[in-house]
Amino acid sequence: MKLKIRFLLGILFSLLVFSSHAQRVRWASKVISVSSEYSDPLLGLEYRALHILGKPSKYPTFNNSPSAWQSLTPDNPAGEYIIVGFDSVSVIRQVAIFENFGAGSIVRVDGLDENNKLILLKEFSPGYATRSAQVTSFNLPNLTVPLRAIKISMNSERVKGYSQIDAVGISDSDVPIVESLRLNKDANAYSFKENLGKEINSPYNEICPVISPDGKKLYFTRWKHPSNMGKNKNQDIWVSNWQSDTKTWSKAELFPEPINNDENNAVCGISPNGKTMLLNNVYRNDGQMEKGVSMSFLLRTGDWSFPKALRILNFKNKSEFSEYSLAPNGKILVMTTEMKDSYGGKDIYVSFWKNDDTWTEPKNIGQVVNTGESESTPFIAPDGVTMYFSSSGHVGYGNNDIFLTRRLDDTWLNWSEPENLGPIVNTAQWDGYFSVAAQGDYAYFSSVENSLGAEDIYRIKIPEKAKPLTLIQVAGQIINQDTQEALAGKILVKSVSGTDSLLVDYDPYLGDYSFMWPAKKAFTMQVVKDGYICRVEKMDYTYERSYKVIQKNLFIIPIQLNKQYQIPNINFDQSKAELSSSSYEELDKIVTILKDNTSFKLLLEGHTDNQGDWNENMKLSLERVENVKAYIVSKGISPNRIRVKGWGGTKPLASNMSEERRKLNRRVEFTLQGD
């Protein structure tokens, strides 16, 4: 017993020691006041005070950066200051100031208490900075007053030229704040990368890999390859096919015209069904290209259509370059562009498809993702939630690193804090173009490290933290139940809870319909086609933990006059006549049929199971159809066009021996009739 008590006390002591060293770092979350900030009419929001907020952008590699606060003039004899606030009022023990460039100008640091009273925290004498860029930190072991803000006062004449501050962090712990930013190191990280070899890579540049959602095709861009089109051998698109028998990629082939031409060509994305291709630039009929983005569609012949430009409202790009990615539903476009409200260089923006086949004015997705540096190569994973992108504006390993962020709501403007994908992917060089298939097993990206020449394409087994959400792929056909013929139509996919939806176009000449959906969300499927009755199919694969393909044909029934149909998904609780709101969608379809065909009349017939009194059941069946009639009339249909009849339990569809079978007998049927 004594040994057990001693062991438990040891665990408790360890926990207490750990708690005493645990730290919660808080970063400045708002600028309360600033003496000045740099601005340039030719720039966006580079060097503004807002860039002091949040985590540092350049640590541990310091350099002059537009993603830091810089005063308006380099040497102001009157001095400069900035006051930053935090997300809560608290007692602090440590302050860290990330002097990104021109370190050595700080004169003093004060705290502001809840009454805005200044409390001196630290004074700095000339020459305190040992390097031109450093983390200037100090501890406050005796401070007990809760603080809401920090004021940094600077003598900009102490250091010749501009001084920059990238971030301000505070903590209630003695553990150095920089420890919270420490990156993983692995000298052998490159060994986890798989160079795709000579079938795909060459001594020339291979960049911009895009894996099709089904993982069977890899599109990429080659620059200056001798087999490229045109005399200048600009960027062209190449494609390789996955060979499932040998588990290898086929020798890459040059993609044909009109997708490739004499100018610069690149694939930005492929739709889940593989029939829509998103392409960089706008294709002109004279063979020239303009800034923008286009779509090409797979034709019945197997060829690809001439790319059609996307019309984006008020789209203006100050940068020479731009990249694009299309969400799986085909209606949300993510892009990098430089506009007036860019935080610095290219930022990531979002645009939404409109019913008139135009796209909304791009919206900046915000400062959680975008920085004063340029963001590039965004890729929306097939789950529609996870986004990978490249940036040098977040803590990284050198040049641009690849990061992951996840969408937090349906506005596409709220994102999780970006996560660095780590040393298996990122290097001291430029890293970007991260693409994943729906299976979520491998990722494809470009890198120069240990390449065959210039940039090569690699793949890695995706680290667990970087995987997109588990997806279900559903494929099949729309079938006429009477003739067994495949029919063209649209399939409405909706989440059981929430607002997520997807409209899938289907053409039997192009094969099966196909779409992908997050496994964690139960959903319904229903064909939308005039002149047909379509059941709602409920699908629930929330138990799935890995990618799965489901084959599902959807059967629809042609509407005929004087033929009896059961209203799909209209069932009743035992002894109840009330309609539930879940019935409205089905009844609205009948309303639409009656509005589109004003000569049609409607016969509604109600049924019950055989439980209970015979007379009561007759009454109940009539009440049910009267409630259905009342709803249809409330939608603008004349009551004179609707007849009702109640049959009680006299016409069962199924046995009444079990509750599951009796449910089928509690129903309403309808017949469309002519004059």
Side-chain angles (χ1 to χ4, degrees), residues 507-617:
D507 182 344
Y509 288 98
L510 297 178
D512 289 356
Y513 76 82
S514 178
F515 69 89
M516 295 177 185
W517 191 265
K520 72 175 186 177
K521 296 182 180 180
F523 62 97
T524 60
M525 302 166 54
Q526 185 170 31
V527 178
V528 180
K529 188 171 180 65
D530 291 341
Y532 287 83
I533 301 169
C534 314
R535 292 192 65 88
V536 174
E537 302 278 354
K538 185 174 181 181
M539 312 285 278
D540 189 346
Y541 294 96
T542 52
Y543 54 86
E544 290 290 347
R545 294 296 177 266
S546 59
Y547 177 79
K548 189 177 184 69
V549 178
I550 307 297
Q551 291 293 326
K552 180 73 175 178
N553 288 339
L554 301 174
F555 293 90
I556 59 177
I557 305 169
I559 294 172
Q560 300 177 30
L561 290 179
N562 302 313
K563 181 176 180 179
Q564 190 179 70
Y565 300 96
Q566 182 178 344
I567 302 178
N569 307 301
I570 304 288
N571 293 304
F572 297 89
D573 292 334
Q574 188 169 0
S575 302
K576 302 292 184 182
E578 291 78 13
L579 275 175
S580 67
S581 58
S582 62
S583 307
Y584 298 161
E585 187 172 353
E586 295 297 334
L587 296 179
D588 287 341
K589 293 174 184 173
I590 296 176
V591 171
T592 299
I593 293 172
L594 292 173
K595 287 183 176 180
D596 291 343
N597 302 273
T598 56
S599 63
F600 285 8
K601 293 184 178 179
L602 182 67
L603 171 63
L604 295 170
E605 299 175 88
H607 303 268
T608 69
D609 58 31
N610 69 348
Q611 304 296 293
D613 181 77
W614 189 91
N615 289 320
E616 289 298 320
N617 283 341

Side-chain angles (χ1 to χ4, degrees), residues 44 46 66 319 337-339 342-347 371-375:
E46 291 94 327
S319 171
T337 184
E338 185 176 357
M339 302 179 73
S342 295
Y343 292 103
K346 292 186 305 176
D347 279 1
T371 69
E373 304 284 344
S374 282
E375 278 64 51

Side-chain angles (χ1 to χ4, degrees), residues 475-494:
Q477 295 182 312
I478 299 173
I479 305 292
N480 182 323
Q481 185 168 295
D482 290 351
T483 66
Q484 297 300 300
E485 176 188 9
L487 299 174
K490 295 181 183 295
I491 303 167
L492 179 62
V493 186
K494 297 175 65 175

Side-chain angles (χ1 to χ4, degrees), residues 196-197 199-201 206-221 237-242 249-253 255 267 270 433 435-437 443-445 457-459:
L196 294 191
E199 300 302 315
I200 289 176
N201 294 316
E206 280 80 31
I207 60 171
C208 194
V210 174
I211 185 73
S212 62
D214 62 9
K216 295 179 180 179
K217 287 185 180 293
L218 178 65
Y219 302 87
F220 63 94
T221 297
I237 298 163
W238 292 66
V239 62
S240 174
N241 297 297
W242 177 249
W249 288 101
S250 67
K251 186 173 181 60
E253 296 180 353
F255 213 76
V267 172
I270 301 292
Y433 298 111
S435 175
V436 301
Y444 298 79
F445 60 99
I457 296 173
Y458 294 78
R459 77 170 186 172

